[in-house]
Amino acid sequence: QVQLVESGGGLVQAGGSLRLSCAASGSIFSIADMGWYRRAPGKQRELVTAITSGGNTNYADSVKGRFTISRDNAKNTVYLQMNSLKPEDTAVYYCNARFAFRVRGEFDYWGQGTQVTVSS
């Protein structure tokens, strides 16, 4: 059982920066793959970036060079540093934790989301 709580969203002007945080409960955070998704009004949720338990990362093409994901296992927290924000980045951002087991399958947990609004 995992609970995720996002924070750090807000209203910023285009070109500005924000840092999102996702705090996770539980003692198994370190073995989870963590990700950030976002959903804009009228659009489906999309993967923004992810970081594996081993520290490997990947990014959507739309955010490469601007966003950075990191994790602090001692604090059970994953971060999303967002720079050079664009109006197109406006969305609710969700933290995701994924546990993959060969026998049991994959299990996903989601936070409630934090709003990011970028003005022109």
Side-chain angles (χ1 to χ4, degrees):
Q1 300 87 340
V2 177
Q3 292 180 312
L4 305 173
V5 180
E6 302 99 334
S7 62
L11 173 64
V12 297
Q13 193 167 302
S17 299
L18 283 174
R19 190 177 79 153
L20 307 184
S21 298
C22 173
S25 65
S27 61
I28 58 175
F29 173 83
S30 62
I31 68 171
D33 294 342
M34 303 296 299
W36 288 96
Y37 290 72
R38 67 186 181 187
R39 181 164 56 199
K43 298 182 179 180
Q44 64 187 81
R45 184 162 54 191
E46 65 174 346
L47 175 65
V48 178
T49 179
I51 183 168
T52 69
S53 60
N56 295 318
T57 61
N58 60 68
Y59 298 89
D61 288 341
S62 60
V63 306
K64 285 182 179 178
R66 300 188 298 119
F67 290 11
T68 303
I69 188 171
S70 61
R71 66 191 298 163
D72 186 339
N73 289 343
K75 296 182 178 179
N76 285 4
T77 302
V78 62
Y79 304 94
L80 180 62
Q81 179 66 46
M82 305 185 294
N83 298 324
S84 302
L85 283 162
K86 304 175 180 179
E88 306 91 87
D89 296 318
T90 295
V92 177
Y93 284 71
Y94 298 90
C95 180
N96 166 260
R98 173 170 291 182
F99 300 85
F101 302 96
R102 291 290 176 85
V103 176
R104 300 177 62 216
E106 296 182 347
F107 298 85
D108 285 280
Y109 298 86
W110 298 90
Q112 292 297 310
T114 184
Q115 177 71 49
V116 172
T117 302
V118 185
S119 62
S120 300

Coordinates of all heavy atoms in Angstrom, one line a residue, residues 5-99:
V5 N 1.6 12.1 -2.3 CA 1.1 13.4 -2.2 C 2.0 14.4 -2.9 O 3.2 14.5 -2.6 CB 1.0 13.8 -0.7 CG1 0.5 15.2 -0.6 CG2 0.2 12.9 0.1
E6 N 1.4 15.0 -3.9 CA 2.2 16.0 -4.7 C 2.0 17.4 -4.1 O 1.1 17.7 -3.5 CB 1.6 16.0 -6.2 CG 1.7 14.7 -6.9 CD 0.4 14.0 -6.9 OE1 -0.4 14.2 -6.0 OE2 0.1 13.2 -7.8
S7 N 3.1 18.2 -4.4 CA 3.0 19.6 -4.0 C 4.0 20.4 -4.9 O 4.8 19.8 -5.7 CB 3.5 19.8 -2.5 OG 4.8 19.3 -2.4
G8 N 3.8 21.7 -4.9 CA 4.7 22.6 -5.6 C 4.1 23.2 -6.9 O 4.8 24.0 -7.5
G9 N 2.9 22.9 -7.2 CA 2.3 23.5 -8.4 C 1.9 24.9 -8.1 O 2.0 25.4 -7.0
G10 N 1.6 25.6 -9.2 CA 1.2 27.0 -9.0 C 1.1 27.7 -10.4 O 1.0 27.0 -11.4
L11 N 1.0 29.0 -10.3 CA 0.8 29.8 -11.5 C 2.1 30.5 -11.8 O 2.7 31.2 -10.9 CB -0.3 30.9 -11.3 CG -0.4 31.9 -12.4 CD1 -0.8 31.3 -13.7 CD2 -1.5 33.0 -12.0
V12 N 2.7 30.4 -13.0 CA 3.9 31.0 -13.4 C 3.8 31.6 -14.8 O 2.9 31.2 -15.6 CB 5.1 30.0 -13.3 CG1 5.4 29.5 -11.9 CG2 4.9 28.9 -14.3
Q13 N 4.7 32.5 -15.1 CA 4.7 33.1 -16.4 C 5.6 32.2 -17.3 O 6.5 31.5 -16.9 CB 5.3 34.5 -16.3 CG 5.1 35.4 -17.6 CD 5.4 36.8 -17.3 OE1 4.8 37.4 -16.4 NE2 6.3 37.4 -18.0
A14 N 5.3 32.3 -18.6 CA 6.1 31.5 -19.6 C 7.6 31.9 -19.4 O 8.0 33.0 -19.2 CB 5.7 31.8 -21.0
G15 N 8.4 30.8 -19.4 CA 9.8 31.0 -19.2 C 10.3 30.8 -17.8 O 11.5 30.7 -17.5
G16 N 9.3 30.7 -16.8 CA 9.6 30.5 -15.4 C 9.9 29.1 -15.1 O 9.9 28.2 -15.9
S17 N 10.0 28.8 -13.8 CA 10.4 27.5 -13.3 C 9.5 27.1 -12.1 O 9.0 28.0 -11.3 CB 11.9 27.5 -12.8 OG 12.7 27.7 -13.9
L18 N 9.3 25.8 -11.9 CA 8.7 25.3 -10.7 C 9.4 24.0 -10.4 O 9.9 23.3 -11.3 CB 7.2 25.0 -11.0 CG 6.2 26.2 -11.0 CD1 4.8 25.7 -11.4 CD2 6.1 26.8 -9.6
R19 N 9.3 23.6 -9.1 CA 9.8 22.3 -8.7 C 8.6 21.6 -8.0 O 8.2 22.0 -7.0 CB 11.0 22.3 -7.8 CG 11.6 20.9 -7.6 CD 12.8 20.9 -6.7 NE 12.5 21.1 -5.3 CZ 13.3 20.6 -4.3 NH1 14.5 20.0 -4.7 NH2 13.0 20.8 -3.1
L20 N 8.2 20.4 -8.5 CA 7.2 19.6 -7.9 C 7.8 18.5 -7.1 O 8.9 18.0 -7.4 CB 6.3 18.9 -9.0 CG 5.7 19.8 -10.1 CD1 4.8 19.0 -11.0 CD2 4.9 21.0 -9.4
S21 N 7.1 18.2 -6.0 CA 7.6 17.2 -5.1 C 6.5 16.1 -5.0 O 5.3 16.5 -5.0 CB 7.9 17.7 -3.7 OG 9.0 18.6 -3.8
C22 N 6.9 14.9 -4.8 CA 5.9 13.8 -4.5 C 6.4 13.0 -3.4 O 7.5 12.3 -3.5 CB 5.8 12.9 -5.8 SG 4.8 11.4 -5.5
A23 N 5.7 13.1 -2.2 CA 6.1 12.3 -1.0 C 5.3 11.0 -1.0 O 4.1 11.0 -1.1 CB 5.9 13.2 0.2
A24 N 6.0 9.9 -0.8 CA 5.4 8.6 -0.7 C 5.5 8.0 0.7 O 6.5 8.1 1.4 CB 6.1 7.7 -1.7
S25 N 4.5 7.3 1.0 CA 4.5 6.6 2.3 C 5.0 5.1 2.0 O 5.0 4.7 0.8 CB 3.1 6.5 2.9 OG 2.2 5.8 2.0
G26 N 5.3 4.4 3.1 CA 5.7 3.0 2.9 C 7.2 2.8 2.9 O 7.9 3.8 2.6
S27 N 7.6 1.6 3.2 CA 9.0 1.3 3.3 C 9.6 0.7 2.0 O 10.7 0.4 2.0 CB 9.2 0.3 4.4 OG 8.5 -0.9 4.2
I28 N 8.7 0.6 0.9 CA 9.2 0.0 -0.3 C 9.4 1.0 -1.4 O 9.4 0.6 -2.6 CB 8.2 -1.1 -0.7 CG1 6.8 -0.6 -0.9 CG2 8.3 -2.3 0.2 CD1 5.9 -1.6 -1.5
F29 N 9.4 2.3 -1.1 CA 9.6 3.3 -2.1 C 10.8 3.1 -2.9 O 10.8 3.3 -4.2 CB 9.7 4.7 -1.4 CG 10.0 5.8 -2.3 CD1 9.1 6.4 -3.1 CD2 11.4 6.2 -2.5 CE1 9.4 7.4 -3.9 CE2 11.7 7.3 -3.3 CZ 10.7 7.9 -4.1
S30 N 11.9 2.6 -2.4 CA 13.2 2.5 -3.1 C 13.1 1.5 -4.2 O 14.0 1.5 -5.1 CB 14.3 2.1 -2.1 OG 14.1 0.9 -1.5
I31 N 12.2 0.5 -4.2 CA 12.1 -0.4 -5.3 C 11.1 -0.1 -6.3 O 11.0 -0.9 -7.3 CB 11.8 -1.9 -4.7 CG1 10.4 -1.9 -4.2 CG2 12.8 -2.2 -3.6 CD1 10.0 -3.3 -3.8
A32 N 10.5 1.0 -6.2 CA 9.5 1.4 -7.2 C 10.1 2.3 -8.3 O 11.0 3.0 -8.1 CB 8.4 2.2 -6.5
D33 N 9.5 2.1 -9.5 CA 9.8 3.0 -10.6 C 8.8 4.2 -10.4 O 7.6 4.0 -10.2 CB 9.6 2.4 -12.0 CG 10.6 1.3 -12.2 OD1 11.6 1.2 -11.6 OD2 10.3 0.4 -13.1
M34 N 9.3 5.4 -10.5 CA 8.5 6.6 -10.3 C 8.3 7.4 -11.6 O 9.2 7.4 -12.4 CB 9.1 7.5 -9.2 CG 9.3 6.8 -7.9 SD 7.8 6.2 -7.1 CE 7.0 7.8 -6.9
G35 N 7.2 8.0 -11.7 CA 6.9 8.8 -12.9 C 6.1 10.0 -12.6 O 5.4 10.1 -11.6
W36 N 6.1 10.9 -13.5 CA 5.3 12.1 -13.5 C 4.4 12.1 -14.8 O 5.0 11.9 -15.9 CB 6.0 13.4 -13.5 CG 6.6 13.7 -12.1 CD1 7.9 13.5 -11.7 CD2 6.0 14.3 -11.0 NE1 8.1 13.9 -10.5 CE2 6.9 14.4 -10.0 CE3 4.7 14.8 -10.8 CZ2 6.6 14.9 -8.7 CZ3 4.4 15.3 -9.6 CH2 5.4 15.4 -8.5
Y37 N 3.1 12.1 -14.6 CA 2.2 12.3 -15.7 C 1.5 13.6 -15.7 O 1.5 14.3 -14.6 CB 1.1 11.1 -15.7 CG 1.7 9.8 -16.0 CD1 2.5 9.1 -15.1 CD2 1.3 9.1 -17.2 CE1 2.9 7.8 -15.4 CE2 1.7 7.8 -17.5 CZ 2.6 7.2 -16.6 OH 3.0 5.9 -16.9
R38 N 0.9 14.0 -16.8 CA 0.1 15.2 -16.7 C -1.2 15.1 -17.6 O -1.2 14.3 -18.5 CB 0.9 16.4 -17.2 CG 1.3 16.4 -18.6 CD 2.2 17.6 -18.9 NE 2.7 17.6 -20.3 CZ 3.6 18.4 -20.8 NH1 4.2 19.3 -20.0 NH2 3.9 18.4 -22.1
R39 N -2.2 15.8 -17.3 CA -3.4 15.8 -18.0 C -4.0 17.2 -18.1 O -4.2 17.9 -17.1 CB -4.5 14.9 -17.4 CG -5.8 14.8 -18.2 CD -6.6 13.6 -17.7 NE -6.9 13.6 -16.3 CZ -7.3 12.6 -15.6 NH1 -7.4 11.4 -16.3 NH2 -7.5 12.7 -14.3
A40 N -4.1 17.7 -19.4 CA -4.7 19.0 -19.6 C -6.2 18.8 -19.9 O -6.6 17.7 -20.3 CB -4.0 19.6 -20.8
P41 N -7.0 19.8 -19.7 CA -8.4 19.7 -19.9 C -8.7 19.3 -21.3 O -8.2 19.8 -22.3 CB -8.9 21.2 -19.7 CG -7.9 21.8 -18.7 CD -6.6 21.2 -19.1
G42 N -9.6 18.3 -21.4 CA -10.0 17.7 -22.7 C -9.0 16.8 -23.3 O -9.2 16.4 -24.5
K43 N -7.9 16.5 -22.7 CA -6.8 15.6 -23.2 C -6.6 14.4 -22.3 O -6.9 14.5 -21.1 CB -5.5 16.4 -23.4 CG -5.6 17.6 -24.4 CD -4.2 18.2 -24.5 CE -4.3 19.4 -25.5 NZ -2.9 20.0 -25.7
Q44 N -6.1 13.4 -22.9 CA -5.8 12.2 -22.1 C -4.5 12.4 -21.3 O -3.6 13.2 -21.7 CB -5.7 11.0 -23.0 CG -4.5 11.0 -24.0 CD -4.6 9.8 -25.0 OE1 -5.4 9.9 -25.9 NE2 -3.9 8.8 -24.7
R45 N -4.3 11.6 -20.3 CA -3.1 11.7 -19.5 C -1.9 11.2 -20.2 O -2.0 10.2 -20.9 CB -3.3 10.9 -18.2 CG -2.2 11.0 -17.2 CD -2.6 10.6 -15.8 NE -3.3 9.3 -15.8 CZ -3.9 8.7 -14.8 NH1 -4.0 9.4 -13.7 NH2 -4.4 7.5 -14.9
E46 N -0.8 11.9 -20.1 CA 0.4 11.5 -20.8 C 1.6 11.4 -19.9 O 1.7 12.1 -18.9 CB 0.7 12.5 -22.0 CG 1.1 13.9 -21.5 CD 1.5 14.8 -22.6 OE1 1.9 14.3 -23.7 OE2 1.6 16.0 -22.4
L47 N 2.5 10.5 -20.2 CA 3.7 10.4 -19.4 C 4.7 11.5 -19.7 O 5.0 11.8 -20.9 CB 4.4 9.0 -19.7 CG 5.8 8.8 -19.0 CD1 5.6 8.7 -17.5 CD2 6.4 7.5 -19.6
V48 N 5.2 12.2 -18.7 CA 6.1 13.3 -18.9 C 7.5 12.8 -18.7 O 8.4 13.1 -19.5 CB 5.8 14.4 -17.8 CG1 6.8 15.5 -18.0 CG2 4.4 15.0 -18.0
T49 N 7.8 12.1 -17.6 CA 9.1 11.6 -17.3 C 9.0 10.5 -16.3 O 8.0 10.4 -15.5 CB 10.0 12.7 -16.8 OG1 11.3 12.2 -16.5 CG2 9.4 13.3 -15.6
A50 N 10.0 9.6 -16.2 CA 10.1 8.5 -15.3 C 11.5 8.3 -14.8 O 12.5 8.6 -15.6 CB 9.5 7.3 -15.8
I51 N 11.6 7.7 -13.6 CA 12.9 7.3 -13.1 C 12.8 6.0 -12.5 O 11.9 5.7 -11.7 CB 13.5 8.4 -12.1 CG1 14.9 8.0 -11.6 CG2 12.5 8.6 -10.9 CD1 15.6 9.1 -10.9
T52 N 13.6 5.0 -12.8 CA 13.5 3.7 -12.3 C 14.2 3.6 -10.9 O 14.8 4.6 -10.4 CB 14.3 2.7 -13.2 OG1 15.7 2.9 -13.2 CG2 13.8 2.8 -14.6
S53 N 14.0 2.5 -10.2 CA 14.6 2.3 -8.9 C 16.1 2.3 -9.0 O 16.8 2.7 -8.0 CB 14.1 0.9 -8.3 OG 14.5 -0.1 -9.2
G54 N 16.6 2.0 -10.2 CA 18.1 2.1 -10.4 C 18.6 3.4 -10.8 O 19.8 3.6 -11.0
G55 N 17.7 4.4 -11.0 CA 18.1 5.8 -11.3 C 18.1 6.1 -12.8 O 18.5 7.2 -13.2
N56 N 17.7 5.2 -13.6 CA 17.6 5.5 -15.1 C 16.4 6.4 -15.3 O 15.4 6.2 -14.7 CB 17.5 4.2 -15.9 CG 18.8 3.4 -15.8 OD1 19.9 3.9 -15.8 ND2 18.6 2.1 -15.7
T57 N 16.5 7.3 -16.3 CA 15.5 8.3 -16.5 C 15.1 8.3 -18.0 O 15.9 7.9 -18.9 CB 15.9 9.7 -16.2 OG1 17.0 10.1 -16.9 CG2 16.2 9.8 -14.7
N58 N 13.9 8.7 -18.3 CA 13.4 9.0 -19.6 C 12.5 10.2 -19.6 O 11.9 10.5 -18.6 CB 12.8 7.7 -20.3 CG 11.6 7.2 -19.5 OD1 10.5 7.9 -19.5 ND2 11.7 6.1 -19.0
Y59 N 12.4 10.8 -20.8 CA 11.6 12.0 -20.9 C 10.8 12.0 -22.2 O 11.2 11.6 -23.2 CB 12.5 13.3 -20.8 CG 13.2 13.5 -19.6 CD1 14.5 12.9 -19.4 CD2 12.7 14.2 -18.5 CE1 15.2 13.0 -18.3 CE2 13.5 14.4 -17.3 CZ 14.7 13.8 -17.2 OH 15.4 13.9 -16.1
A60 N 9.6 12.6 -22.1 CA 8.8 12.9 -23.3 C 9.6 13.9 -24.1 O 10.3 14.8 -23.6 CB 7.4 13.4 -23.0
D61 N 9.5 13.8 -25.4 CA 10.2 14.7 -26.3 C 9.8 16.2 -26.0 O 10.7 17.1 -26.2 CB 9.9 14.4 -27.8 CG 10.6 13.1 -28.2 OD1 11.5 12.7 -27.6 OD2 10.1 12.6 -29.3
S62 N 8.6 16.4 -25.6 CA 8.2 17.8 -25.4 C 8.8 18.5 -24.2 O 8.8 19.7 -24.1 CB 6.6 17.8 -25.2 OG 6.3 17.0 -24.1
V63 N 9.5 17.7 -23.3 CA 10.0 18.3 -22.1 C 11.5 18.1 -22.1 O 12.2 18.6 -21.1 CB 9.4 17.8 -20.9 CG1 7.9 18.0 -20.9 CG2 9.7 16.3 -20.6
K64 N 12.1 17.4 -23.0 CA 13.6 17.1 -23.0 C 14.3 18.4 -23.0 O 14.1 19.3 -23.7 CB 14.0 16.3 -24.1 CG 13.6 14.8 -24.0 CD 14.1 14.0 -25.2 CE 13.7 12.5 -25.1 NZ 14.1 11.8 -26.3
G65 N 15.3 18.5 -22.1 CA 16.1 19.7 -22.0 C 15.6 20.7 -21.1 O 16.3 21.7 -20.7
R66 N 14.3 20.6 -20.7 CA 13.7 21.6 -19.8 C 13.3 21.0 -18.4 O 13.4 21.7 -17.4 CB 12.4 22.1 -20.5 CG 12.7 22.8 -21.8 CD 11.4 23.5 -22.3 NE 10.3 22.5 -22.5 CZ 9.1 22.6 -21.9 NH1 8.9 23.5 -21.0 NH2 8.2 21.7 -22.2
F67 N 12.9 19.7 -18.4 CA 12.5 19.1 -17.1 C 13.6 18.1 -16.7 O 14.2 17.5 -17.5 CB 11.2 18.3 -17.3 CG 10.0 19.2 -17.5 CD1 10.1 20.6 -17.8 CD2 8.7 18.6 -17.5 CE1 9.0 21.4 -18.0 CE2 7.6 19.4 -17.7 CZ 7.7 20.8 -17.9
T68 N 13.7 17.9 -15.3 CA 14.6 17.0 -14.8 C 13.9 16.2 -13.6 O 13.3 16.9 -12.7 CB 15.8 17.6 -14.2 OG1 16.5 18.4 -15.3 CG2 16.8 16.6 -13.7
I69 N 13.9 14.9 -13.7 CA 13.3 14.1 -12.6 C 14.5 13.6 -11.7 O 15.5 13.3 -12.2 CB 12.5 13.0 -13.1 CG1 11.7 12.2 -12.0 CG2 13.3 12.0 -13.9 CD1 10.7 11.2 -12.5
S70 N 14.2 13.5 -10.4 CA 15.2 13.0 -9.5 C 14.5 12.4 -8.3 O 13.3 12.6 -8.1 CB 16.2 14.1 -9.0 OG 15.5 15.1 -8.3
R71 N 15.2 11.6 -7.5 CA 14.6 11.0 -6.4 C 15.5 10.9 -5.2 O 16.8 10.9 -5.4 CB 14.1 9.5 -6.7 CG 15.2 8.6 -7.0 CD 14.7 7.2 -7.6 NE 13.8 6.5 -6.6 CZ 12.9 5.6 -7.0 NH1 12.8 5.2 -8.3 NH2 12.2 5.0 -6.1
D72 N 15.0 11.0 -4.0 CA 15.7 10.9 -2.8 C 15.1 9.8 -2.0 O 14.1 10.0 -1.3 CB 15.7 12.2 -2.0 CG 16.5 12.2 -0.8 OD1 16.9 11.1 -0.3 OD2 16.9 13.3 -0.3
N73 N 15.7 8.6 -2.0 CA 15.1 7.5 -1.4 C 15.1 7.6 0.2 O 14.2 7.0 0.8 CB 15.9 6.2 -1.7 CG 15.6 5.8 -3.2 OD1 14.7 6.2 -3.8 ND2 16.5 4.9 -3.7
A74 N 16.0 8.3 0.7 CA 16.0 8.6 2.2 C 14.8 9.3 2.6 O 14.4 9.2 3.8 CB 17.3 9.3 2.6
K75 N 14.3 10.2 1.7 CA 13.1 11.0 2.1 C 11.9 10.5 1.4 O 10.8 11.1 1.6 CB 13.3 12.4 1.6 CG 14.5 13.1 2.3 CD 14.6 14.6 1.9 CE 15.7 15.3 2.6 NZ 15.8 16.7 2.2
N76 N 11.9 9.3 0.7 CA 10.8 8.8 0.0 C 10.1 9.8 -0.8 O 8.9 10.0 -0.9 CB 9.8 8.2 1.0 CG 10.2 6.9 1.7 OD1 11.3 6.4 1.4 ND2 9.3 6.3 2.5
T77 N 10.9 10.5 -1.6 CA 10.4 11.7 -2.4 C 11.0 11.7 -3.8 O 12.2 11.4 -4.0 CB 10.7 13.0 -1.7 OG1 10.1 13.0 -0.4 CG2 10.1 14.2 -2.5
V78 N 10.2 12.0 -4.8 CA 10.6 12.2 -6.1 C 10.3 13.6 -6.5 O 9.3 14.2 -6.1 CB 9.9 11.2 -7.1 CG1 8.4 11.4 -7.1 CG2 10.5 11.3 -8.5
Y79 N 11.2 14.2 -7.3 CA 11.0 15.6 -7.7 C 10.9 15.8 -9.2 O 11.4 15.0 -10.0 CB 12.2 16.4 -7.2 CG 12.5 16.3 -5.7 CD1 13.4 15.4 -5.2 CD2 11.8 17.2 -4.8 CE1 13.6 15.3 -3.8 CE2 12.1 17.1 -3.5 CZ 13.0 16.1 -3.0 OH 13.2 16.0 -1.6
L80 N 10.3 16.9 -9.6 CA 10.3 17.3 -11.0 C 10.7 18.7 -11.1 O 9.9 19.6 -10.7 CB 8.9 17.0 -11.6 CG 8.8 17.4 -13.1 CD1 9.8 16.6 -14.0 CD2 7.4 17.2 -13.6
Q81 N 11.9 19.0 -11.6 CA 12.3 20.4 -11.8 C 11.9 20.8 -13.2 O 12.3 20.1 -14.2 CB 13.8 20.5 -11.6 CG 14.4 21.9 -11.9 CD 13.9 22.9 -10.9 OE1 14.0 22.6 -9.7 NE2 13.4 24.0 -11.3
M82 N 11.1 21.8 -13.3 CA 10.6 22.3 -14.6 C 11.1 23.7 -14.8 O 10.8 24.6 -14.1 CB 9.1 22.3 -14.6 CG 8.5 20.9 -14.2 SD 6.6 20.9 -14.4 CE 6.2 22.1 -13.0
N83 N 11.9 23.8 -15.9 CA 12.4 25.1 -16.3 C 11.9 25.5 -17.7 O 11.4 24.6 -18.4 CB 14.0 25.0 -16.4 CG 14.6 24.7 -15.0 OD1 14.1 25.2 -14.0 ND2 15.7 24.0 -15.0
S84 N 12.0 26.7 -18.0 CA 11.6 27.2 -19.3 C 10.2 26.8 -19.6 O 9.9 26.3 -20.7 CB 12.6 26.8 -20.4 OG 13.9 27.2 -20.2
L85 N 9.3 27.0 -18.7 CA 7.9 26.5 -18.8 C 7.2 27.3 -20.0 O 7.4 28.4 -20.2 CB 7.2 26.7 -17.5 CG 7.5 25.7 -16.5 CD1 7.1 26.2 -15.1 CD2 6.8 24.4 -16.8
K86 N 6.4 26.5 -20.6 CA 5.6 27.0 -21.8 C 4.1 26.9 -21.4 O 3.7 26.0 -20.6 CB 5.9 26.2 -23.0 CG 7.3 26.1 -23.4 CD 7.5 25.2 -24.6 CE 9.0 25.2 -25.0 NZ 9.2 24.2 -26.2
P87 N 3.2 27.7 -22.1 CA 1.8 27.5 -21.8 C 1.3 26.1 -22.1 O 0.3 25.7 -21.5 CB 1.2 28.5 -22.8 CG 2.2 29.6 -23.0 CD 3.5 28.8 -22.9
E88 N 1.9 25.4 -23.0 CA 1.5 24.1 -23.3 C 1.8 23.1 -22.2 O 1.3 22.0 -22.2 CB 2.3 23.5 -24.6 CG 2.1 24.4 -25.8 CD 3.2 25.5 -25.9 OE1 4.3 25.2 -26.5 OE2 3.0 26.6 -25.4
D89 N 2.6 23.5 -21.2 CA 2.8 22.7 -20.0 C 1.7 22.7 -19.0 O 1.7 22.0 -18.0 CB 4.1 23.1 -19.4 CG 5.4 22.9 -20.2 OD1 5.4 21.8 -20.9 OD2 6.2 23.7 -20.3
T90 N 0.8 23.6 -19.2 CA -0.4 23.8 -18.3 C -1.1 22.5 -18.2 O -1.6 22.0 -19.2 CB -1.3 24.9 -18.7 OG1 -0.6 26.2 -18.7 CG2 -2.5 25.0 -17.8
A91 N -1.3 21.9 -17.0 CA -1.9 20.7 -16.8 C -2.0 20.4 -15.3 O -1.3 21.0 -14.5 CB -1.2 19.6 -17.5
V92 N -2.7 19.3 -14.9 CA -2.6 18.7 -13.6 C -1.5 17.7 -13.7 O -1.6 16.8 -14.6 CB -3.9 18.2 -13.1 CG1 -3.7 17.5 -11.8 CG2 -5.0 19.2 -13.1
Y93 N -0.5 17.8 -12.8 CA 0.6 16.8 -12.8 C 0.4 15.8 -11.7 O 0.1 16.1 -10.6 CB 1.9 17.6 -12.6 CG 2.4 18.3 -13.8 CD1 1.7 19.4 -14.3 CD2 3.4 17.8 -14.6 CE1 2.1 20.1 -15.5 CE2 3.9 18.5 -15.7 CZ 3.2 19.6 -16.2 OH 3.6 20.2 -17.3
Y94 N 0.5 14.5 -12.1 CA 0.3 13.4 -11.2 C 1.6 12.6 -11.0 O 2.3 12.3 -11.9 CB -0.8 12.5 -11.8 CG -2.1 13.1 -12.0 CD1 -2.5 13.7 -13.1 CD2 -3.1 13.0 -10.9 CE1 -3.7 14.3 -13.3 CE2 -4.3 13.6 -11.1 CZ -4.6 14.2 -12.3 OH -5.9 14.8 -12.5
C95 N 1.8 12.2 -9.8 CA 2.9 11.4 -9.4 C 2.4 9.9 -9.5 O 1.3 9.6 -9.1 CB 3.4 11.7 -8.0 SG 4.7 10.7 -7.4
N96 N 3.3 9.1 -10.0 CA 3.0 7.6 -10.2 C 4.1 6.8 -9.6 O 5.2 7.0 -9.8 CB 2.8 7.3 -11.7 CG 2.7 5.8 -11.9 OD1 3.7 5.3 -12.4 ND2 1.6 5.2 -11.7
A97 N 3.7 5.7 -8.9 CA 4.6 4.7 -8.4 C 4.2 3.4 -9.0 O 3.0 3.0 -9.0 CB 4.6 4.6 -6.9
R98 N 5.2 2.7 -9.6 CA 4.9 1.4 -10.2 C 5.8 0.3 -9.6 O 7.0 0.5 -9.5 CB 5.1 1.5 -11.7 CG 5.0 0.1 -12.4 CD 5.0 0.2 -13.9 NE 3.7 0.9 -14.4 CZ 3.4 1.1 -15.7 NH1 4.3 0.7 -16.6 NH2 2.3 1.6 -16.0
F99 N 5.1 -0.8 -9.2 CA 5.8 -1.9 -8.7 C 5.6 -3.1 -9.7 O 4.4 -3.4 -10.0 CB 5.4 -2.3 -7.3 CG 5.6 -1.2 -6.3 CD1 4.6 -0.2 -6.1 CD2 6.7 -1.2 -5.5 CE1 4.8 0.8 -5.2 CE2 6.9 -0.2 -4.6 CZ 5.9 0.8 -4.4

